[in-house]
Amino acid sequence: MILYHGSNVSVEKPTIIKANRTLDFGNGFYTTTSKEQAYKWAKIKQRREETVNGFITIYEIPDEIIVSKDLNIKVFRGASKNWLNFVVNNRMVINYSHSFDIVKGSVADDRVYACLNAFENRFMDFDTAIKELRTYKLDDQISFHSLKAINLLRFIKCEVI
């Protein structure tokens, strides 16, 4: 499986990042199967950090890794109640953590974040939020949360954008 990581730097040797902001699946190293999504992330990071270039770093992992019994892997299929609970906990609960090596699921982008914000601020109930989220085309993200998992990423190349 080919994975992409968008940033303002080339990342040949990924590390688990302790973010200075809340992330959908907690601290980790984030990738996607969508080169277009990685491009968007790279442009956002480039603007935020005020750097000259953005970078898409490309990796490969074995296809069967997502069903591996050697790793603790959580896969969310679309916008579900479990996914929404997990994202809200990671974003809102101070010191929330989980024990997954890899998490795969949908990205909470700006549109999704607006829906999550409405839910978190009690302007929308849980079922309405799920119904709304299911109407969106959601890109995926695969995040790595342990050294055992991150060491499975094989660097292929990096592209400057």
Side-chain angles (χ1 to χ4, degrees), residues 32 61 69-70 79 84 86 90 116 125 129 137-138 145 151:
T32 179
I61 61 169
K69 302 295 184 207
D70 295 332
L84 181 56
F86 191 73
N90 277 295
L116 290 176
D125 67 32
K137 179 199 172 291
L138 302 174
H145 302 276
N151 286 334

Side-chain angles (χ1 to χ4, degrees), residues 107-137:
V107 175
D109 64 11
D110 291 342
R111 292 171 306 129
V112 173
Y113 190 70
C115 182
L116 290 176
N117 214 12
F119 169 73
E120 291 164 356
N121 289 301
R122 312 262 189 257
F123 294 117
M124 186 182 294
D125 67 32
F126 203 85
D127 290 330
T128 304
I130 291 295
K131 187 176 178 183
E132 175 75 17
L133 290 168
R134 286 185 177 150
T135 67
Y136 299 159
K137 179 199 172 291

Side-chain angles (χ1 to χ4, degrees), residues 9 14 26-27 32 39 44 51 54 62 64 83 98-99 104 109 111 113 122 132 134 142-143 149:
V9 295
N27 293 328
T32 179
Y39 178 85
I44 288 168
T51 56
E64 65 275 3
W83 172 80
H98 60 77
S99 61
K104 180 181 183 196
D109 64 11
R111 292 171 306 129
Y113 190 70
R122 312 262 189 257
E132 175 75 17
R134 286 185 177 150
I142 301 173
S143 56

Side-chain angles (χ1 to χ4, degrees), residues 18 22 27 87-98:
K18 183 161 173 61
T22 57
N27 293 328
V87 170
V88 168
N89 284 335
N90 277 295
R91 288 180 170 268
M92 300 296 294
V93 177
I94 296 171
N95 295 324
Y96 179 80
S97 65
H98 60 77

